[in-house]
Amino acid sequence: DAGVTQSPTHLIKTRGQHVTLRCSPISGHKSVSWYQQVLGQGPQFIFQYYEKEERGRGNFPDRFSARQFPNYSSELNVNALLLGDSALYLCASSLLLRRSEQYFGPGTRLTVT
Amino acid sequence: QQQVKQSPQSLIVQKGGISIINCAYENTAFDYFPWYQQFPGKGPALLIAIRPDVSEKKEGRFTISFNKSAKQFSLHIMDSQPGDSATYFCAASSGQGGSEKLVFGKGTKLTVNP
């Protein structure tokens, strides 16, 4: 069975640009969450979507936005990129909104120069 | 404010030894405690998880011990192998605010020497 997939694998952007990251959840999973992992730290929660609705948002600026599509895939958008946005962006999928294990994808490595 | 404190930051164990990683939390509303294993360049992989209605859960060589009154939980890796060398993260979530937001510790880099 396919796990969580993310694209692209790596991305290099310049300060001020915009980026879109994509995630496909495990088949049958209805919830997608996004996390940011800075080198040497644990992942930090950005968003959770369930049934195409935002159900949770972490402490990130409005430059970060996301959406979930009818097929449960998701996009994370970041506007006006800053050097500090350089990180591994992880997508996790779960069967349900709550009380359901979260399985992570391989991540997208974003470098902002 | 770090809600989940993980220790040690790094750990070196000989092959066949026991690796022990500890986590402490502050939010008493947390009701789900997973452990993740992460290899360099990869996403975290769910290893084992526990809910506060049990004090211990074992899966193969991996055991979670949970102490609700002390607000602490730990991961024990028995018969540690070189292939276990990775970074381990504890996490916790509560469902507060209507989402299953995982709060992670800072990680423990485990090295198992052959």
Side-chain angles (χ1 to χ4, degrees):
Chain A
D1 287 341
V4 178
T5 58
Q6 293 185 243
S7 63
T9 305
H10 297 90
L11 203 52
I12 299 174
K13 290 286 189 178
T14 304
R15 276 178 299 176
Q17 286 188 317
H18 162 271
V19 69
T20 298
L21 310 181
R22 295 177 174 83
C23 170
S24 291
I26 293 170
S27 177
H29 284 197
K30 297 182 178 181
S31 178
V32 168
S33 298
W34 287 95
Y35 292 81
Q36 180 196 64
Q37 186 177 24
V38 174
L39 200 62
Q41 300 292 318
Q44 275 203 295
F45 175 78
I46 309 176
F47 288 110
Q48 183 177 23
Y49 277 76
Y50 179 72
E51 291 283 15
K52 303 181 291 295
E53 290 188 5
E54 180 184 307
R55 295 305 189 101
R57 183 183 184 117
N59 189 23
F60 281 82
D62 291 343
R63 299 185 296 107
F64 289 76
S65 64
R67 55 180 177 168
Q68 186 177 33
F69 299 99
N71 67 352
Y72 301 109
S73 66
S74 178
E75 281 183 355
L76 175 69
N77 295 283
V78 187
N79 292 324
L81 285 167
L82 303 174
L83 294 179
D85 295 331
S86 296
L88 180 68
Y89 287 86
L90 296 162
C91 172
S93 81
S94 56
L95 189 62
L96 303 171
L97 174 62
R98 278 237 63 211
R99 301 186 74 78
S100 186
E101 289 77 10
Q102 293 189 28
Y103 298 93
F104 284 84
T108 294
R109 171 69 62 187
L110 172 64
T111 302
V112 182
T113 62
Chain B
Q1 179 187 6
Q2 185 187 357
Q3 295 188 55
V4 178
K5 293 184 179 180
Q6 184 172 347
S7 62
Q9 188 174 354
S10 62
L11 181 62
I12 300 175
V13 174
Q14 292 300 118
K15 179 183 175 181
I18 302 173
S19 304
I20 301 174
I21 304 171
N22 300 299
C23 283
Y25 62 96
E26 300 163 4
N27 187 347
T28 55
F30 285 148
D31 63 358
Y32 174 64
F33 304 88
W35 284 89
Y36 286 86
Q37 177 190 58
Q38 187 174 31
F39 293 103
K42 305 292 184 182
L46 180 62
L47 205 54
I48 187 173
I50 198 169
R51 297 194 185 275
D53 50 343
V54 296
S55 59
E56 187 174 282
K57 183 175 181 179
K58 183 177 180 180
E59 289 184 2
R61 296 185 294 110
F62 301 93
T63 299
I64 298 180
S65 296
F66 182 79
N67 186 329
K68 188 174 181 179
S69 60
K71 292 186 287 186
Q72 295 176 346
F73 58 110
S74 60
L75 176 69
H76 294 231
I77 306 174
M78 311 299 288
D79 187 26
S80 299
Q81 299 296 312
D84 296 331
S85 297
T87 299
Y88 292 79
F89 293 95
C90 62
S93 69
S94 68
Q96 283 180 324
S99 71
E100 192 80 62
K101 162 188 171 181
L102 286 174
V103 178
F104 284 82
K106 291 189 174 182
T108 296
K109 185 176 181 181
L110 172 65
T111 302
V112 182
N113 289 328

